[in-house]
Amino acid sequence: MLFNELYSAYYNTVAALLKQAMDHPLSDSELSEIIHQHAFEESELYIRPALKDQRWQLIQTEGTTCLKKIPSMPLTTLQKQWLKAIGMDVRMRLFTEDTFDFPDVEPLFMPDDILIFDQYSDGDDYQSETYINNFRILLQAIRTHTPLSIVQENKHGQKLTVLIQPDYLEYSQKDDKFRLIGAGSYLGNTINLARIISCQPIKENPPTDLRKRNPLKLRSVIFELVDQRNALERVLMHFAHFKKRVQKIDVNHYEVTLFYDKEDETEIVIRILSFGPLLKVKAPVHFVNLIKQRLIDQRSCGI
């Protein structure tokens, strides 16, 4: 665990105490307040005696310290290597221009060292300046709860303008794509970021009904599962955020009913196919046909 607030909490707490002690003698009430602010509820039972009994010889009995410089938490070599490695991920530019370029260390690993064997190759273009700019506008709008006007391209290549109250972003590792989830758009609650041409905040007189989320179009799919290679455990984890019902048929076979929103249907098809012959869709016919068509499309593309 390179960066873990559980293990660094005491260090940060004592650093905050020392910083205050350099400015003026710490009172008992100040000591307690700082501990509660930076550590855990029970931390005072350990930190206060350690300082008062001089087991941690950092703060003197009168609440002062002999330190002359404000304490800092420099990064370790391993932490620098980790940051430099993840800074090489092309998706990092979506969030920051900081490349974590530490000239004194080599990256812990290279992007080519990671192989995701079940990921589609047509992911979003994370190096597109338009995509990066749109992503940052969306992220800021989510943080500030600002409604947006978005120009997007539909599957027929037509430009459409929608108004939406953004809620959060979703990332699909299997598809390597981001999508925006929000409310108010007449086209639905989901927008694929790759389809967004431009977006801008609505700063004045936003429509009052944007907070009204489109009703979910609930659907279900029933599939039979063969519990080999921990398939049952993997399916339950893979679809953990979907409502589901599991019924045992025999020792190694289970029937799973999965409930989902219509907007997630393509994603569900892709996820079910990723389990190969361990899952067999039984109903509805509509979903079975989607599976068949997807396989035909993949075969025609030589996938």
Side-chain angles (χ1 to χ4, degrees):
M1 290 175 283
L2 304 182
F3 304 90
N4 191 304
E5 64 178 353
L6 178 64
Y7 290 99
S8 66
Y10 279 12
Y11 293 98
N12 289 321
T13 302
V14 174
L17 289 169
L18 291 171
K19 184 177 180 180
Q20 289 296 319
M22 290 177 64
D23 182 67
H24 61 270
L26 276 178
S27 65
D28 288 345
S29 60
E30 276 185 297
L31 191 144
S32 298
E33 182 181 346
I34 293 173
I35 292 175
H36 291 159
Q37 181 180 354
H38 293 272
F40 310 106
E41 188 71 26
E42 67 280 3
S43 298
E44 186 177 1
L45 299 176
Y46 186 81
I47 296 178
R48 177 191 283 272
L51 293 171
K52 290 289 187 181
D53 299 342
Q54 294 296 296
R55 282 185 281 118
W56 297 351
Q57 297 179 9
L58 299 169
I59 296 180
Q60 298 170 347
T61 54
E62 65 272 17
T64 59
T65 180
C66 59
L67 294 183
K68 302 299 181 183
K69 294 183 179 180
I70 296 176
S72 62
M73 295 282 288
L75 294 172
T76 65
T77 298
L78 188 58
Q79 288 173 332
K80 290 180 180 179
Q81 290 176 316
W82 168 259
L83 287 173
K84 192 166 185 175
I86 64 172
M88 298 176 72
D89 189 321
V90 293
R91 290 166 295 190
M92 284 298 295
R93 275 203 66 206
L94 300 175
F95 301 92
T96 178
E97 290 292 342
D98 193 343
T99 57
F100 305 112
D101 186 19
F102 302 106
D104 57 326
V105 299
E106 294 295 324
L108 192 60
F109 54 85
M110 302 296 290
D112 293 340
D113 294 333
I114 301 175
L115 174 63
I116 304 177
F117 61 88
D118 61 346
Q119 186 179 75
Y120 288 89
S121 59
D122 61 341
D124 289 351
D125 183 6
Y126 301 121
Q127 301 187 62
S128 164
E129 293 299 327
T130 299
Y131 188 99
I132 294 171
N133 184 59
N134 289 339
F135 188 97
R136 292 179 180 177
I137 292 174
L138 295 174
L139 198 60
Q140 181 62 20
I142 291 170
R143 289 169 175 166
T144 59
H145 308 288
T146 303
L148 293 169
S149 173
I150 295 177
V151 179
Q152 65 171 320
E153 184 177 78
N154 65 12
K155 61 182 179 181
H156 304 294
Q158 300 170 324
K159 291 183 180 180
L160 302 171
T161 301
V162 298
L163 305 182
I164 191 169
Q165 178 67 51
D167 285 334
Y168 57 91
L169 291 168
E170 280 187 350
Y171 173 72
S172 170
Q173 182 171 323
K174 187 172 294 295
D175 292 336
D176 193 23
K177 296 176 183 292
F178 278 95
R179 60 182 188 174
L180 174 69
I181 310 299
S185 169
Y186 66 92
L187 296 177
N189 302 319
T190 304
I191 298 178
N192 292 328
L193 263 67
R195 294 188 179 276
I196 296 178
I197 299 172
S198 64
C199 56
Q200 59 182 2
I202 304 174
K203 297 181 179 180
E204 297 181 359
N205 302 321
T208 56
D209 59 347
L210 279 186
R211 286 309 312 166
K212 185 179 180 182
R213 183 179 287 274
N214 295 312
L216 297 178
K217 299 176 181 178
L218 289 178
R219 292 189 173 183
S220 63
V221 57
I222 302 173
F223 55 83
E224 186 175 306
L225 180 152
V226 181
D227 192 17
Q228 297 176 358
R229 304 196 298 274
N230 293 325
L232 178 61
E233 180 181 349
R234 291 191 290 122
V235 164
L236 294 178
M237 291 182 62
H238 203 67
F239 297 103
H241 56 297
F242 292 96
K243 181 181 177 181
K244 66 189 74 66
R245 184 170 60 243
V246 181
Q247 181 178 355
K248 188 171 184 178
I249 301 174
D250 56 39
V251 177
N252 293 319
H253 293 80
Y254 295 82
E255 182 179 275
V256 180
T257 303
L258 187 70
F259 301 91
Y260 62 92
D261 180 26
K262 181 181 181 299
E263 292 188 19
D264 295 323
E265 194 160 65
T266 302
E267 176 80 6
I268 298 297
V269 170
I270 294 171
R271 291 191 184 192
I272 287 178
L273 281 172
S274 70
F275 285 89
L278 298 179
L279 300 187
K280 180 181 179 181
V281 176
K282 299 172 62 177
V285 175
H286 161 73
F287 202 97
V288 174
N289 291 335
L290 289 176
I291 294 286
K292 290 180 178 178
Q293 188 59 50
R294 189 85 182 186
L295 291 172
I296 291 172
D297 294 341
Q298 290 180 356
R299 185 175 182 181
S300 65
C301 295
I303 298 178

